[in-house]
Amino acid sequence: QLRLVESGGGLVQPGGSLRLSCAASGRTVSDLTMGWFRQGPGKERSFVARMNWSGGTIYGPDSPKGRFIISRDIDKNTFYLQMNSLKPEDTAVYYCAANIKGWGAGVSEYDFWGQGTQVTVSA
């Protein structure tokens, strides 16, 4: 059974940076599509970024590449989300997830989820 554990969240000032980690166990994830999602207060869970098995990436409308960057360390079976120039509206619980069947970006397409890590952007 695949298990995903996020870490790296916390409180950061506007304009600051954080790097979230998603450690996978139970099976290798280098051949899967791995995604990051977030859910802000009172909002639905939304797509942030994903990386497929070949390293191809796409980003959601609120996370253009350059501000958020998804990456992976195959040897560590771990995915990352580097978040730069953070804004208060980036405040949310961030989740990593694994899509074992495809490479889409929809929430319903992902089969395994971590427990989430809270990111709060505030002065």
Side-chain angles (χ1 to χ4, degrees):
Q1 181 80 353
L2 176 60
R3 183 169 180 249
L4 305 173
V5 178
E6 303 95 334
S7 61
L11 174 64
V12 62
Q13 293 187 342
S17 298
L18 280 176
R19 190 177 79 155
L20 306 183
S21 299
C22 173
S25 60
R27 63 154 289 173
T28 183
V29 294
S30 60
D31 60 340
L32 302 180
T33 293
M34 298 297 294
W36 284 99
F37 295 80
R38 69 184 185 184
Q39 188 164 13
K43 298 182 180 180
E44 294 186 352
R45 195 168 298 189
S46 62
F47 170 72
V48 174
R50 74 98 171 111
M51 177 178 284
N52 66 11
W53 64 273
S54 67
T57 60
I58 59 172
Y59 293 85
D62 296 329
S63 54
K65 186 179 179 182
R67 199 163 77 82
F68 288 4
I69 301 173
I70 187 172
S71 63
R72 65 183 176 182
D73 186 325
I74 293 176
D75 292 338
K76 294 183 178 179
N77 212 27
T78 299
F79 278 74
Y80 304 96
L81 184 68
Q82 177 69 41
M83 304 188 296
N84 302 316
S85 302
L86 283 162
K87 307 173 182 179
E89 50 265 42
D90 294 319
T91 294
V93 178
Y94 284 73
Y95 300 89
C96 71
N99 182 340
I100 63 174
K101 297 182 290 294
W103 51 85
V107 172
S108 62
E109 299 179 64
Y110 285 74
D111 307 284
F112 295 91
W113 293 83
Q115 83 289 348
T117 186
Q118 176 71 48
V119 172
T120 302
V121 185
S122 175

